[in-house]
Amino acid sequence: MPYTLITIPFSHFCEKARWALDHHGLGFEERAYLPLLHLAGAMPAGQRSVPILKAGEKTVGDSTDILHFCDQVGSGTRLFPATPLDEAQPDAIEAWEEEFDRRLGPAVRLAIYAVLLEHPGYTRDFMVSSGKGWQSSVMRLSFGAVRRAISKSYGITPERTQRARGRIDDLFARVAQTLADGRPYLGGESFSAADLTFASLAGPLVAPPEYGAPLPPLESAPDDLRRLIDDFRNTAAGDFVMRLYADRHALT
Ligand SMILES: N[C@@H](CCC(=O)N[C@@H](CS)C(=O)NCC(=O)O)C(=O)O
């Protein structure tokens, strides 16, 4: 395989990179790490966060840069169209993508972890089952420390969680309002980086069955996690995420 993608498998920013590679028909090997253990994969590439794409000598270390890279070398339709989809708003795709990255991604991560970390047994089992070999054993033994580190590094507090929920509600409402004129995609008639980024970064909150890595299992989920996901599934923007995922393979 010419490409290697270093990931935390369930991470939504990694999902975004995975989807872009699939969209462009670029075969890749995924090297997946559990949270914190991902530093073993990221630091040799001079980074602390994932996704990281290795393409021969080249390292691309940010999901947006990975989308642009895939647009340059891949065979799918461009995620950032060369000519604007909408003459009236030439930068609309870039603006949506940037806003989802900056505001939606971190807010979704905080909202999900805030619930997961309240259920250490369930979350430990999920993380252990998401890791391979030595990583599962290390996670089983050190989950308590990982849980504290996640809480501290993402600054999970009740106030910040509430603010994150407000921000997600606001973005979901704006997406729904944009689609209310009947357009199939955020930019109009064609699938773009805006749709891919929204669907990936909202993915863990809507939990589509086609998500590219196992998410916390809903069958055994604690009530508050189930409720959180039901709340977002029951929105117009949640429906949109489900539709994009159902069409994911047709769109690639
Ligand atoms: N802006 C980056 C954000 C990536 C990001 O936040 N990755 C998270 C996983 S969702 C991560 O690696 N967190 C671990 C850390 O920062 O130490 C991108 O778009 O790639």
Side-chain angles (χ1 to χ4, degrees), residues 8 11-13 16 38-39 48-51 61-64 101 109 154:
I8 294 173
S11 146
H12 53 352
F13 281 106
K16 181 183 159 194
H38 75 281
L39 291 172
R48 294 190 68 83
S49 71
V50 289
D62 175 85
S63 63
T64 303
D101 258 24
R109 183 168 56 203
Y154 294 135

Side-chain angles (χ1 to χ4, degrees), residues 122 126 215-222 225:
Y122 171 81
F126 164 64
L215 288 171
L218 286 181
E219 319 76 69
S220 52
L225 180 59

Side-chain angles (χ1 to χ4, degrees), residues 17-63:
R18 218 166 15 222
W19 193 336
L21 285 155
D22 286 343
H23 174 81
H24 275 296
L26 300 168
F28 63 98
E29 180 204 341
E30 182 167 347
R31 225 183 294 149
Y33 293 88
L34 293 175
L36 247 67
L37 308 182
H38 75 281
L39 291 172
M43 287 179 80
Q47 296 244 150
R48 294 190 68 83
S49 71
V50 289
I52 299 169
L53 180 68
K54 312 243 338 158
E57 292 301 298
K58 199 174 162 66
T59 299
V60 190
D62 175 85
S63 63

